[in-house]
Amino acid sequence: MIQQANQLYEELTQQLRETEAMPFSAPAQRQERLLQHIREAIDVLKQQVITHTFADEAEEILFFKEIKPKFTSLLIYHARLALIELKKPLGSLQDLRRHYENELLLIRVFYDHHVQLYQYLLSGSTYLDSRLFVRGRADLPFQYSTSSMDTDTRFSTHYDYIVARLEANRRLGDYLIQTIHRLEQGQVDFAAPQAGPVMTWTGSKVYLIELAYGLFESGQINNGTADLCEITERLETFFGVKLGNVYRTFQEVRQRKKDSRTKFLDLMRERLLHRMDALDGA
């Protein structure tokens, strides 16, 4: 079940990346297409869960604590982003800045309201997991009380939605802060903020995909909360390169027989050790 869900998520993020790169006559059309892909994937995920019997409580906790929130956070993020841009006022720069700052304030209020749960998750604690992320459990202190977006108890706990909302808010916060910064720089083109490439990737695209997966799997970015799609997009932007179907390329890398399946990481390790050895001998 977990493997199927992770594969579904990788396929979804690839769909989203391809849709982001497609031309649309209006940004709202792109957002609607993105939301359609996410809803369809969540529907597939829901049917898988409804017909699946978890092997044990640990597997159920893993699903509702880590797997399902990845899907739901994408839905919340893109839905909220579309609404924020739809409500954007036609006024002065001060009006626009106030609009985005108000959205940041809403995010802060949400964090404040769920600070106990946020601190629990941030600390890596597990002692409440069986009460937070197992279906049918809701006997928690009032400070953890919340509402769930999905009322189908076969596919939800009371807290997997909040985990997803916290992650979506993190991404929204990054977007809003970058947008406010663009306003301060006098940039009034409010497409999603992008940092111009300062370096050009001249190596194999396969190597860059290998690096993206390595960063994702090792959890070195944003305390391990950054998903593969985000990491890939940032690498593409920074190096000014399009990586195409990352998921398919990774499957091909997995099937390497004669060569190492981590050629680039092996190469970096070899060159770094050689450099250290050279310095030691200097």
Side-chain angles (χ1 to χ4, degrees):
M1 175 64 216
I2 301 300
Q3 184 177 355
Q4 286 181 329
N6 283 330
Q7 181 173 338
L8 178 64
Y9 183 77
E10 289 192 5
E11 292 170 353
L12 170 61
T13 55
Q14 181 61 37
Q15 275 188 314
L16 299 183
R17 292 178 65 253
E18 292 173 354
T19 301
E20 289 277 13
M22 292 171 58
F24 287 88
S25 58
Q29 291 181 333
R30 176 180 287 104
Q31 285 297 330
E32 184 54 40
R33 183 70 62 83
L34 293 170
L35 289 169
Q36 179 184 349
H37 289 320
I38 298 169
R39 293 189 189 103
E40 289 173 353
I42 291 176
D43 286 342
V44 172
L45 184 69
K46 181 175 182 177
Q47 291 306 311
Q48 290 177 348
V49 171
I50 288 175
T51 58
H52 175 75
T53 300
F54 289 107
D56 50 32
E57 186 177 89
E59 185 185 32
E60 183 171 359
I61 289 171
L62 175 62
F63 177 83
F64 286 106
K65 186 178 184 179
E66 299 183 18
I67 305 300
K68 184 190 171 189
K70 293 196 300 184
F71 289 83
T72 313
S73 68
L74 285 176
L75 181 63
I76 297 169
Y77 170 75
H78 285 284
R80 189 64 192 170
L81 184 60
L83 184 59
I84 288 171
E85 292 305 310
L86 181 64
K87 291 164 55 182
K88 185 170 65 180
L90 298 175
S92 65
L93 291 179
Q94 290 78 9
D95 292 331
L96 290 168
R97 181 186 176 99
R98 190 178 303 113
H99 168 66
Y100 291 115
E101 287 178 341
N102 287 339
E103 294 296 334
L104 275 175
L105 178 60
L106 292 176
I107 290 175
R108 294 191 190 101
V109 169
F110 185 85
Y111 276 118
D112 289 343
H113 187 66
H114 298 92
V115 63
Q116 290 89 351
L117 185 59
Y118 177 68
Q119 290 175 346
Y120 173 84
L121 296 169
L122 197 62
S123 69
S125 299
T126 59
Y127 64 93
L128 286 176
D129 281 2
S130 62
R131 300 167 70 187
L132 288 167
F133 303 110
V134 174
R135 291 166 294 182
R137 307 283 176 83
D139 55 337
L140 284 167
F142 72 93
Q143 64 264 31
Y144 286 94
S145 298
T146 185
S147 59
S148 176
M149 182 177 70
D150 193 334
T151 57
D152 190 336
T153 56
R154 298 173 300 173
F155 188 56
S156 65
T157 69
H158 284 271
Y159 306 97
D160 63 83
Y161 169 71
I162 300 303
V163 176
R165 181 79 179 270
L166 290 168
E167 170 58 18
N169 280 351
R170 183 192 63 77
R171 293 187 64 186
L172 276 174
D174 289 345
Y175 170 82
L176 293 167
I177 290 170
Q178 289 181 54
T179 303
I180 291 171
H181 177 70
R182 286 163 61 85
L183 280 173
E184 293 173 344
Q185 299 300 314
Q187 302 178 43
V188 293
D189 175 16
F190 297 112
Q194 300 283 339
V198 294
M199 294 183 180
T200 301
W201 182 265
T202 56
S204 166
K205 291 183 180 181
V206 175
Y207 284 177
L208 192 56
I209 292 171
E210 187 179 320
L211 177 62
Y213 270 89
L215 292 170
F216 170 65
E217 294 295 343
S218 62
Q220 299 302 304
I221 300 176
N222 293 338
N223 294 315
T225 62
D227 62 38
L228 180 64
C229 182
E230 287 182 272
I231 294 172
T232 303
E233 288 174 353
R234 294 300 178 92
L235 289 175
E236 285 182 320
T237 299
F238 184 81
F239 288 116
V241 64
K242 289 295 183 183
L243 295 177
N245 192 325
V246 174
Y247 176 72
R248 183 168 59 232
T249 302
F250 182 68
Q251 300 311 308
E252 294 172 357
V253 170
R254 285 179 54 201
Q255 295 170 10
R256 288 175 180 166
K257 299 299 183 183
K258 296 181 179 179
D259 298 327
S260 168
R261 297 199 294 180
T262 55
K263 290 175 66 175
F264 181 51
L265 299 181
D266 294 344
L267 176 63
M268 287 197 299
R269 180 179 182 275
E270 177 187 338
R271 296 293 173 82
L272 182 57
L273 289 174
H274 178 75
R275 176 63 173 168
M276 290 178 176
D277 290 343
L279 292 172
D280 290 343

